[in-house]
Amino acid sequence: MAEPPQLVNHFPSLNAVLHERAQGDRCLTHIFGEHDERVVSYSELHERALGILHFLQLQGVKAGDHVVLYCKDNEQFVDAFWACLYGGIVPVPVAVGISDEHRRKLLRITSLLGNAWLYTEEALFNRLLVFDAEQDSSERRVDSLRNRLLLVDRIHDLRDHGTLFSASLADVAFIQFSSGSTAEPKGVVLSHGNLLANIEGMATAARFTEDDVSLSWMPLTHDMGLIGYHLLFVAVNAHSAIMPTDLFVRRPLLWLLKAAEKRSTVLCSPNFGYQHFLKVFASKGLPDDLDLSAVRTICNGAEPIDVGLCDRFLEAMAPYRLPNTAMNTVYGLAEASLCVTMPEPERRVREVALAPHRLTIGEPVEVKPAGTPGALRFAALGTPVRHCRMRIADNDGEAVADGIVGHVLIKGANVTCGYYRNDAATEAATRAGGWLDTGDVGVIVDGELLITGREKDILFVHGQNVYPHDLERLVQHEPGLELGKVAIAGAYTPGKPDQQVILFIVHRKGLEEFAELAGRARRIIGEQGGVEITHAVPVQRIPKTTSGKMQRSALAAGYVAGEYAEVLQEIDALQQQNATGDEALNDIERQLQAICSDVITDKSVGLDDDLFELGTSSLALSEIHARVDDLWPGKLELTDMFDYPTLRLLAERCAQDD
């Protein structure tokens, strides 16, 4: 078997990596559907990047300029990303979402960057113009981008090559904006040296080589998708394949069907992906002869890892010959150029059970036997990869012994030098000796890292980081929902692998009035933030620290302890009483209700219930849309769900003759 390549001492930049790999026979496959894909050799990718670079330079883009990549299409993104690197241009990936908050985040990023260029499709830009026209005049920013607009639609000839930039390890490769805060997005600056160091570290730890075949559905705007499952496999000179995230959401079983077809050896998914896959698998199944025996590694990261979910996934896939040693539980973050720790490859997931009340910083953990009732289950995440150092520290930044809970600090060639134009954030994250505080809390047990929590209140929603204050801000202008009266917190409860998102509202009147207030908040947060509220809870007050900061963790702890169980039962009974479930349904309404009952399992959906006020997540909406499209092809776009938010309206639309 081939050996992992040495990269840091061999290549001066990522540009040199692709230039050398273009001399070989390896390929990147873009998957668009079950029978629709395009194979691009690394040689062709090299040529396409040079052709697009020529287009960029003709428009006036120079080395050192920032180009925001706002592309739905993975192939367009990859071509443009490498074109920027080849020209010494700094690409800035930004996800294309369906909510207003995604658009606001894009505009805040372009504003922070200053004179950035925008690389996108004409249709996407026109949607931004429509959105911008609906904003207050002081908030309008899109029209100012016209003079620095780079439209993919205008690129027709790639025969001419642009002028290459001689990049070094110290040069900035790209800026990765956090997937969390939209109000104040932080741009992680990553150099060619950072990336090559981490890629070499990951390849060495997991023994990735040119013999591997990777397949990923993670978005290329996410560090795992871009660094871990594109740049890494170009660097190790391996075949790779990428499928769009929305294709996985609509057809999750296609992920492993394609993995078997291509004899993929390396896959990846965060928690929500396994859960989504298993939900569809339970109803549809897989072909009996599906063979996943080639898979040796499935990296599981990007959000807290649920050990029970790992077990269920591996057990469900065992009949298809997926090795029970394939699950690779890892830990990382964008500031580390992706990866901090990895366990030994091709071993069973190692679980550690800890007493739930012994997780305070500076205190020793209490390890419990596996299966102890009430104990918290954590996945062991391995040891630091090459070029990365890690320290578990107390509140003063001093290292603590193994078995003591502390802040997770990192340092090394793979670690960012800071956040773009944000000295305050850089200083806040930097500890004595140049250590970077990840914001996570962890402990070393039996030589391996366990992540026990998050110092801040960050939420993990479908593989993305979401900040509570961003969601709270969305409703601050609604009567009764002003800032200080609303708090959002994440909570993990026994038997539920996903983090629940709980909305707390200060409310001292009756539950009828509260239901209306909570419904408005759910709709706004679902529509604009794309986040499903699991439960809305009325509270007398929101606890705060002496300095005035919300204690969201105290609210979450009360929820987990059952303090609000009685009022939630009363709210549920009230909703059932007001439901219109006994109304006669026509055939289309009946089919739509069956779809919603299958997708939204924790609440009933009446004909006139607003899906957004119910707090339906963007993932659930995508699944509902996919099933509607199966029954009535082409009748609805996903964005039409905003115009037809109830089953009655959806049914009327599906019944129309276009």
Side-chain angles (χ1 to χ4, degrees):
M1 184 174 179
E3 291 294 319
Q6 301 299 306
L7 302 173
V8 175
N9 294 325
H10 184 70
F11 293 106
S13 66
L14 284 168
N15 303 1
V17 172
L18 181 58
H19 191 276
E20 182 170 303
R21 299 312 183 221
Q23 313 309 311
D25 61 353
R26 300 306 160 116
C27 300
L28 166 63
T29 300
H30 291 285
I31 300 170
F32 306 111
E34 185 174 2
H35 305 293
D36 184 10
E37 58 187 48
R38 172 170 150 72
V39 179
V40 180
S41 68
Y42 291 158
S43 176
E44 184 181 352
L45 175 57
H46 167 77
E47 292 294 318
R48 290 179 62 82
L50 287 172
I52 293 172
L53 175 59
H54 180 255
F55 167 80
L56 298 179
Q57 291 173 336
L58 281 180
Q59 309 310 306
V61 187
K62 304 182 297 298
D65 285 356
H66 298 98
V67 173
V68 174
L69 301 184
Y70 191 65
C71 306
K72 287 192 302 182
D73 183 278
N74 282 338
E75 189 172 7
Q76 290 177 355
F77 178 97
V78 169
D79 290 347
F81 182 87
W82 284 104
C84 288
L85 293 192
Y86 272 180
I89 300 159
V90 181
V92 183
V94 177
V96 176
I98 64 172
S99 73
D100 288 349
E101 276 305 282
H102 284 101
R103 299 180 183 97
R104 290 191 182 97
K105 179 175 179 177
L106 165 69
L107 297 179
R108 289 183 180 114
I109 288 172
T110 58
S111 178
L112 175 64
L113 293 171
N115 292 323
W117 297 81
L118 179 64
Y119 185 92
T120 189
E121 301 172 49
E122 189 167 11
L124 286 177
F125 185 69
N126 288 337
R127 289 180 197 172
L128 286 174
L129 287 173
V130 171
F131 165 76
D132 202 45
E134 297 170 349
Q135 309 306 303
D136 293 336
S137 57
S138 61
E139 294 292 321
R140 292 177 187 167
R141 302 173 183 171
V142 175
D143 201 54
S144 63
L145 294 171
R146 284 185 185 276
N147 295 330
R148 301 179 73 80
L149 185 61
L150 304 165
L151 291 176
V152 182
D153 317 60
R154 306 278 173 86
I155 304 175
H156 304 295
D157 189 350
L158 300 179
R159 288 175 295 181
D160 292 327
H161 288 181
T163 303
L164 284 167
F165 177 81
S166 181
S168 70
L169 293 176
D171 286 317
V172 175
F174 74 100
I175 298 175
Q176 175 77 59
F177 274 87
S178 60
S179 60
S181 178
T182 55
E184 298 179 6
K186 294 191 296 186
V188 179
V189 179
L190 298 174
S191 70
H192 288 267
N194 292 151
L195 292 161
L196 286 173
N198 202 230
I199 289 170
E200 182 177 288
M202 288 186 286
T204 302
R207 302 187 190 122
F208 293 141
T209 75
E210 62 183 16
D211 295 330
D212 279 307
V213 179
S214 79
L215 188 154
S216 169
W217 55 262
M218 292 290 285
L220 290 169
T221 52
H222 188 281
D223 48 6
M224 181 180 278
L226 177 56
I227 303 171
Y229 281 79
H230 176 57
L231 299 182
L232 187 152
F233 287 98
V234 171
V236 302
N237 201 28
H239 290 296
S240 61
I242 301 172
M243 63 187 289
T245 305
D246 63 349
L247 178 58
F248 170 79
V249 170
R250 287 184 283 112
R251 299 193 57 192
L253 302 186
L254 187 60
W255 173 42
L256 294 191
L257 290 171
K258 283 293 180 181
E261 174 189 310
K262 298 182 181 303
R263 303 298 292 165
S264 298
T265 62
V266 183
L267 308 174
C268 66
S269 176
N271 256 12
F272 93 89
Y274 302 111
Q275 177 136 356
H276 183 50
F277 177 91
L278 288 175
K279 182 177 180 181
V280 178
F281 169 75
S283 61
K284 295 187 175 181
L286 288 167
D288 291 340
D289 60 352
L290 190 76
D291 183 5
L292 298 172
S293 60
V295 178
R296 68 179 187 87
T297 296
I298 308 179
C299 285
N300 185 346
E303 62 182 19
I305 295 167
D306 183 85
V307 179
L309 184 58
C310 295
D311 293 341
R312 292 196 298 277
F313 179 80
L314 291 171
E315 289 169 7
M317 294 301 103
Y320 306 100
R321 301 179 63 193
L322 179 70
N324 61 13
T325 56
M327 189 69 71
N328 195 14
T329 52
V330 300
Y331 168 67
L333 62 160
E335 287 85 344
S337 303
L338 180 57
C339 189
V340 174
T341 65
M342 276 187 169
E344 280 292 314
E346 300 175 60
R347 73 162 199 196
R348 296 289 296 268
V349 174
R350 188 167 80 82
E351 174 188 341
V352 180
L354 299 179
H357 305 300
R358 298 291 300 276
L359 299 176
T360 304
I361 290 175
E363 296 296 325
V365 296
E366 183 180 345
V367 179
K368 296 288 190 179
T372 299
L376 299 177
R377 304 172 69 188
F378 294 96
L381 305 173
T383 57
V385 298
R386 179 185 292 182
H387 302 297
C388 185
R389 297 165 58 195
M390 182 182 70
R391 166 186 286 182
I392 307 299
D394 60 20
N395 289 326
D396 295 322
E398 296 297 321
V400 298
D402 289 3
I404 304 294
V405 178
H407 303 275
V408 181
L409 312 183
I410 58 174
K411 186 177 182 180
N414 63 311
V415 178
T416 179
C417 64
Y419 301 102
Y420 182 77
R421 287 188 177 176
N422 197 333
D423 293 341
T426 301
E427 183 178 351
T430 304
R431 300 291 173 261
W435 291 91
L436 183 139
D437 190 339
T438 65
D440 290 310
V441 176
V443 62
I444 302 295
V445 175
D446 295 332
E448 294 191 56
L449 174 68
L450 313 180
I451 294 295
T452 59
R454 182 78 180 171
E455 184 180 8
K456 296 182 180 178
D457 298 314
I458 196 167
L459 305 172
F460 295 90
V461 181
H462 302 317
Q464 299 293 311
N465 297 340
V466 179
Y467 288 82
H469 58 75
D470 280 336
L471 302 180
E472 292 157 2
R473 184 174 48 82
L474 293 176
V475 300
Q476 65 181 337
H477 299 301
E478 289 290 307
L481 298 170
E482 297 86 2
L483 281 180
K485 293 186 177 181
V486 175
I488 292 175
Y492 287 96
T493 55
K496 294 184 180 294
D498 287 340
Q499 187 182 46
Q500 298 178 67
V501 182
I502 314 301
L503 169 67
F504 298 89
I505 302 175
V506 174
H507 186 80
R508 300 183 179 93
K509 297 180 181 179
L511 290 184
E512 286 276 3
E513 295 90 342
F514 176 78
E516 188 276 332
L517 189 64
R520 279 192 285 128
R522 282 179 183 269
R523 177 182 176 86
I524 293 169
I525 292 167
E527 205 170 64
Q528 298 185 29
V531 172
E532 176 182 4
I533 298 297
T534 311
H535 289 295
V537 180
V539 293
Q540 293 293 307
R541 67 179 186 87
I542 291 175
K544 297 180 180 179
T545 66
T546 54
S547 61
K549 294 180 180 178
M550 286 186 183
Q551 292 183 305
R552 297 183 181 90
S553 59
L555 290 168
Y559 171 80
V560 172
E563 291 179 15
Y564 311 109
E566 185 175 339
V567 71
L568 287 174
Q569 287 178 352
E570 293 179 35
I571 292 170
D572 187 62
L574 182 64
Q575 290 173 338
Q576 294 293 331
Q577 180 182 328
N578 294 334
T580 57
D582 57 351
E583 183 177 344
L585 306 179
N586 64 36
D587 287 342
I588 295 178
E589 291 167 345
R590 190 175 294 108
Q591 291 178 82
L592 289 172
Q593 195 163 64
I595 289 171
C596 287
S597 296
D598 193 33
V599 174
I600 305 171
T601 58
D602 61 338
K603 56 179 75 75
S604 60
V605 181
L607 273 183
D608 296 303
D609 287 336
D610 190 302
L611 292 172
F612 293 99
E613 289 185 3
L614 289 175
T616 310
S617 70
S618 56
L619 179 64
L621 286 173
S622 297
E623 188 173 344
I624 291 170
H625 172 262
R627 297 195 186 190
V628 171
D629 196 56
D630 286 341
L631 294 174
W632 298 280
K635 185 65 71 172
L636 286 171
E637 295 289 335
L638 180 58
T639 51
D640 289 338
M641 302 288 286
F642 293 102
D643 298 319
Y644 309 98
T646 70
L647 297 189
R648 192 186 301 278
L649 291 174
L650 281 174
E652 291 173 359
R653 177 69 184 97
C654 291
Q656 291 174 4
D657 293 325
D658 291 330

